[in-house]
């Protein structure tokens, strides 16, 4: 649901953006929260800046990653977040909440930023920083792309396999009931 995706957190952060010349595209299928979120956007005079796209094709999504200056994933809960890795592979700096499973791949200030979930002030600061410093954003995007190259499906699958094998071994331990 959009609540799990942290879109209220994102919209509350966007209220603190200092500039007028930005657009935020909220991508994904329509959900129960859409009317509430749209009302929140309108009430906070963000209607000209925030666009709800609905579900998009894979091709359009990949094009959007490349054309975007910043990718934000403010999720309240996100086990891995392939979309963030796809954005990184496209050379886009990412800002993710600390509740996004792949946040361990983000080196704060090197290939993106990790923000504590719900910290709208810090989220807005990071967005403002990247909007005001496009050269730094491009450098972070370049580094993000390198990170993504080093985290292929094969490597990630090995990490998960090792993790799950460890769980199986623990469950066979005599002290585990």
């Amino acid at each position: 649901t959009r609540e799990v995706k942290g879109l209220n957190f994102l919209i509350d952060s966007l209220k603190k953006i200092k500039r007028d010349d930005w657009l935020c595209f909220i991508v994904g299928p329509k959900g129960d929260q859409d009317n509430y979120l749209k009302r929140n956007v309108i009430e906070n005079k963000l209607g000209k800046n925030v666009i709800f796209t609905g579900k998009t094709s894979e091709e359009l999504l990949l094009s959007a990653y490349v054309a975007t200056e910043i990718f934000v994933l403010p999720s309240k809960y996100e086990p891995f977040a392939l979309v963030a890795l796809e954005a990184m592979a496209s050379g886009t700096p990412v800002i993710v909440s600390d509740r996004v499973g792949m946040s361990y791949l983000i080196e704060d200030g090197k290939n993106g930023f990790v923000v504590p979930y719900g910290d709208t002030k810090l989220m807005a600061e990071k967005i403002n920083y990247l909007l005001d410093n496009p050269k730094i954003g491009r450098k972070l995007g370049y580094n993000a792309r390198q990170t993504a190259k080093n985290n292929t499906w094969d490597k990630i699958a090995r990490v998960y396999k090792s993790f799950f094998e460890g769980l199986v071994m623990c469950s066979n331990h005599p002290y585990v009931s």
Side-chain angles (χ1 to χ4, degrees):
T1 69
R2 298 220 178 198
E3 184 176 333
V4 172
K5 295 296 183 188
L7 295 179
N8 290 322
F9 169 34
L10 176 61
I11 291 169
D12 289 343
S13 300
L14 295 176
K15 296 176 197 176
K16 299 174 172 120
I17 301 301
K18 298 174 187 169
R19 309 163 58 129
D20 290 334
D21 62 341
W22 58 272
L23 288 175
C24 174
F25 295 93
I26 296 180
V27 179
K30 294 182 185 207
D32 297 338
Q33 275 200 320
D34 281 359
N35 289 334
Y36 169 77
L37 291 170
K38 288 176 183 176
R39 192 169 49 252
N40 190 3
V41 164
I42 291 166
E43 287 172 1
N44 288 288
K45 298 177 176 56
L46 296 171
K48 69 178 184 135
N49 300 96
V50 178
I51 299 166
F52 292 84
T53 67
K55 189 174 180 174
T56 62
S57 69
E58 186 72 21
E59 296 81 22
L60 186 58
L61 191 57
L62 294 175
S63 297
Y65 290 141
V66 173
T68 301
E69 290 181 54
I70 307 166
F71 176 84
V72 181
L73 188 63
S75 295
K76 187 176 191 176
Y77 172 74
E78 191 82 38
F80 182 72
L82 178 61
V83 293
L85 193 57
E86 288 172 346
M88 292 173 75
S90 298
T92 304
V94 298
I95 303 173
V96 300
S97 82
D98 60 351
R99 296 188 182 178
V100 170
M102 59 78 63
S103 63
Y104 70 91
L105 294 175
I106 307 298
E107 294 179 61
D108 214 49
K110 182 178 178 190
N111 60 2
F113 296 103
V114 178
V115 174
Y117 178 79
D119 190 339
T120 58
K121 182 177 185 254
L122 186 58
M123 175 70 81
E125 283 176 16
K126 298 304 180 187
I127 293 170
N128 279 315
Y129 178 74
L130 289 174
L131 289 174
D132 291 341
N133 298 285
K135 200 174 202 177
I136 292 172
R138 285 190 294 277
K139 183 175 169 78
L140 266 64
Y142 174 82
N143 292 338
R145 185 181 196 123
Q146 300 312 306
T147 300
K149 282 183 183 178
N150 294 328
N151 287 281
T152 63
W153 270 115
D154 186 49
K155 181 178 178 182
I156 292 167
R158 284 194 305 270
V159 169
Y160 276 99
K161 181 179 182 233
S162 174
F163 172 75
F164 286 117
E165 284 173 346
L167 287 177
V168 170
M169 289 174 65
C170 283
S171 68
N172 291 329
H173 194 280
Y175 296 114
V176 177
S177 53

